[in-house]
Amino acid sequence: NITLSAGAGYKMYIYPEKPLYHGLDFVIGTVFRLGSKDNRSKLEMESLNIDPLFPILYEYYSENSFGTLDLKNTERNTITNLTVSFYVDQYMEQPMECAVIPSLKSGETAQIDLKALFTTGVLNLTDDSKISTEILISYNLLGKKISYSTPQTMKIYGRNSMTWDDDRK
């Protein structure tokens, strides 16, 4: 950001009987701002839907979605290399990459299916619980890498619970 400015003025300092000083002044200036003061991401989370999880189906969730995330690019420019990962600290060894989107133009929306590779530790849950999760997002904007995470909570049932909404499970 570059700002150029110029100005002129007349000053007169008056002492009771005669002018003490009077004269013209001229000002020319430039200001250079490197970077931006607003570092907040302009990639908006429009909606997030996470279904309750069943520990008995922990292997199923590595290939099948248990929720969706809608992201909208409200930046002025196209973002590239958008990566979305999902992570649960206690029950996953590392974040699972849910989507890699090569480019998302300004104003476009992307829907991401959430998946997770849970460890067998999830089978130790005997009661229904709410657990803390993280959604990790990173992308490139005008050559700059931007990364952030957003904490979420989700419900997970006890290990003996099951759903029969789809008998293929």
Side-chain angles (χ1 to χ4, degrees), residues 55 91 120-127 159:
Y91 304 111
T120 55
V122 76
L123 294 172
N124 293 331
L125 287 169
T126 55
D127 296 320
R159 66 178 175 216

Side-chain angles (χ1 to χ4, degrees), residues 50-164:
I50 299 177
D51 298 331
L53 297 183
F54 297 91
I56 198 74
L57 299 174
Y58 75 96
E59 290 178 343
Y60 175 83
Y61 298 125
S62 67
E63 297 292 327
N64 299 281
S65 172
F66 56 84
T68 58
L69 169 65
D70 291 335
L71 293 174
K72 183 175 184 178
N73 179 6
T74 59
E75 297 278 3
R76 286 187 243 173
N77 299 298
T78 299
I79 61 175
T80 58
N81 300 324
L82 171 62
T83 304
V84 178
S85 301
F86 183 83
Y87 184 61
V88 179
D89 185 36
Q90 302 164 335
Y91 304 111
M92 294 175 69
E93 291 180 359
Q94 64 188 15
M96 178 154 182
E97 196 172 85
C98 299
V100 176
I101 299 171
S103 70
L104 189 63
K105 294 179 182 174
S106 180
E108 283 186 338
T109 301
Q111 187 174 67
I112 291 100
D113 290 330
L114 299 176
K115 298 176 184 175
L117 182 59
F118 291 104
T119 63
T120 55
V122 76
L123 294 172
N124 293 331
L125 287 169
T126 55
D127 296 320
D128 297 357
S129 304
K130 283 198 175 215
I131 58 173
S132 296
T133 67
E134 273 187 294
I135 296 175
L136 310 159
I137 298 171
S138 68
Y139 60 91
N140 293 332
L141 176 67
L142 300 174
K144 181 180 175 186
K145 184 163 180 113
I146 298 171
S147 299
Y148 66 95
S149 66
T150 178
Q152 301 293 325
T153 59
M154 64 185 284
K155 184 173 184 172
I156 188 163
Y157 291 110
R159 66 178 175 216
N160 296 323
S161 299
M162 180 63 180
T163 180
W164 293 103

Side-chain angles (χ1 to χ4, degrees), residues 1-4 30-37:
N1 186 0
I2 300 172
T3 304
L4 300 173
T30 61
V31 176
F32 296 96
R33 288 187 185 92
L34 302 175
S36 172
K37 289 183 181 178

